[in-house]
Structure formats: C-alpha cells, structure tokens
Amino acid sequence: MDFAVRIQQHVCALARRSPNHLVVGPFLIRFSPDWPSPYANYAIPEQDAEPTRRQIRELVAAFEQRERLPRLEYLPEWAPAVEPALLAAGFEVENRVPLLACTAADLVVPGPVPGLAVSVPENEDEFVALAQVQHRAYGEEGEPGDGELGWLRMTAHGGGAVALARVDGEPAGGGAASISAEGLSELAGIAVADRYRRRGVGAAVSAVLTATALDHQREAVWLEPAEESVERMYERIGYRRVTEKLNISLPRRR
C-alpha cells in the first residue's frame, strides 16, 4: 500500500477517535472546542470524494456554527476532485507542505548535547512547562490554553509519547508522538525555546520521541516540517520525504 495512503488513513483514524468529530457529507471534521487554532480544527475528505456545491456549503456552515475557520488538511492524491471543487467555492490554498517519514532502519541518533536531559512529564507543572515552550516557540501570545494542555495529557495517557527537554535544569523544548493508528505515529509539536536553538535540542528530542514510538511497535513515524531549515534537521536523523499535504481554507468574510 502507498505510504501516502497509510498516512491519510492514520489521520482519519485519529480524527474518528475524537469525541468532537463530525461527518458532513463526504467530509470528516475534527473540531476542538477548547482550542480555536485552525491547526486543531480541520476537515478531511473521504477517499476519492467528489463533493457537490451543496455539500461544500454544508461543510462551511458546520465550521461557522462553531466559530471556526472552514479549513481542510489532506493529501491531494487521496481525493483529487476535492481541490477544484473547493477552489470553485471560494477556498484558497494556504500552502503545500512536504510530509516526511522515518523507520527503525533509517533512524540516526544524534550526538549528545551538553547539559541536556529529555524526560517524560510526570506532573502538572511539567506539562505546563512543556506547553509554555511550545506556545511561545510557535509565536503565540499569552499562556497556553486548555486545548494545548489537554492534547499533551491525552497523548501521554492514551498511548502516545510526550517529552520535555531541559538544559541545565531549565525547560528548553519538547514535543510528542501521537497515539498509534494504522501502524503509524505522527511526530508533532516539536518546539525549542529561542535561547536554546541551534544547539541540537530539536534533533535530540525528535530522535528520542521517534525511537520511543518505534519501540512501541509503530512501523514508521511521520511528520510535517514547519520550514525548509527544519526539514534538513529531520533529514539528519533519518527522515525522508514521502508525499505532500494540501492546506486550504475559506477566507474570513469581511
């Protein structure tokens, strides 16, 4: 089976496990009531979907009723007819991003980082410290919300892997590997505090989480790099491009 199909099936399986998912026509929607970020609220078309104009209007209405941006994240080859239909309905492409994957045979463990310790958060203070690093590293203001903390707790207690990195005892980074589905796990939320960047912290955390997921009988771990420089870091620990994802949304009405 094609690796791209496996990744899309993994995403769909996790979305269906969410108590807040919704099916509208040929679309599976994952909503987060406590986390308004567009990256936590999106739809996925069913395989080979050919949505009608009415179904797209119903999709948009479902998002707007929940005060969320109408948005989709999916692999174009999964449902080739969907993108033209969305564009005709006024949606705009945000970007197309590569997806990378790593197997146990490919993983390269990076060298040690002075003063670095990577561990599993064991109490609420450590979960908060990790969420704060992620929140600020991704350019968000204020404090992390319930949705961000809830995602970390759910991942940690639901069979995924969560890691907090400290340098000389100070929170420096972290991330998570998702709960297994379809034999895969997603590496997500990898973040490093500004003062600790370019020291190898991100590579170390990513390698630890990838190894942990693979040790738990995942066939492979995949991820979406935020930018080209980050992609190069993942490539150094064994990740390789396998497909491309489309992010597409309906601009907010003025």
Side-chain angles (χ1 to χ4, degrees):
M1 184 183 295
D2 184 85
F3 217 139
V5 173
R6 294 279 306 284
I7 289 175
Q8 192 66 80
Q9 289 175 335
H10 168 264
V11 175
C12 290
L14 289 184
R16 292 190 187 97
R17 292 183 190 179
S18 168
N20 301 301
H21 81 271
L22 178 68
V23 176
V24 175
F27 299 103
L28 172 64
I29 312 175
R30 187 173 187 174
F31 286 116
S32 177
D34 301 319
W35 194 358
S37 168
Y39 305 110
N41 298 270
Y42 57 88
I44 309 162
E46 65 183 26
Q47 191 168 15
D48 297 322
E50 297 183 358
T52 64
R53 293 181 180 179
R54 178 177 178 178
Q55 288 171 330
I56 293 176
R57 289 197 297 269
E58 291 172 345
L59 174 72
V60 170
F63 276 90
E64 293 183 339
Q65 287 167 7
R66 292 163 178 78
E67 299 183 337
R68 297 292 187 262
L69 176 71
R71 188 172 184 275
L72 292 88
E73 295 186 8
Y74 70 100
L75 308 186
E77 63 263 49
W78 174 257
V82 171
E83 183 180 351
L86 294 173
L87 293 173
F91 279 70
E92 296 180 359
V93 173
E94 296 176 358
N95 54 23
R96 300 176 192 273
V97 296
L99 299 186
L100 284 62
C102 182
T103 66
D106 298 323
L107 181 61
V108 177
V109 178
V113 177
L116 176 67
V118 181
S119 62
V120 177
E122 296 183 348
N123 54 54
E124 187 65 11
D125 288 344
E126 291 183 337
F127 276 109
V128 170
L130 173 54
Q132 287 174 334
V133 169
Q134 292 174 313
H135 191 77
R136 292 163 188 165
Y138 285 100
E140 300 292 340
E141 298 180 352
E143 294 297 315
D146 292 340
E148 292 165 272
L149 280 163
W151 174 72
L152 290 171
R153 295 190 201 99
M154 179 189 70
T155 301
H157 302 313
V162 176
L164 170 64
R166 296 182 184 273
V167 173
D168 298 328
E170 293 297 318
S178 74
I179 299 164
S180 177
E182 302 295 326
L184 304 181
S185 182
E186 179 188 6
L187 193 67
I190 301 298
V192 178
D194 286 346
R195 63 181 293 193
Y196 297 108
R197 290 183 178 176
R198 294 182 172 83
R199 298 194 191 182
V201 174
V205 169
S206 299
V208 167
L209 286 168
T210 300
T212 300
L214 293 170
D215 285 345
H216 284 80
Q217 307 304 312
R218 274 62 154 182
E219 179 183 339
V221 182
W222 67 275
L223 59 84
E224 174 187 333
E227 55 190 39
E228 187 176 348
S229 62
V230 178
E231 181 177 355
R232 291 195 294 271
M233 180 271 288
Y234 289 121
E235 288 175 343
R236 287 195 292 273
I237 63 171
Y239 279 84
R240 298 291 180 265
R241 285 195 185 203
V242 293
T243 189
E244 182 181 76
K245 188 183 76 168
L246 170 67
N247 295 321
I248 185 168
S249 59
L250 184 66
R252 295 190 185 278
R253 299 173 184 176
R254 297 182 181 276

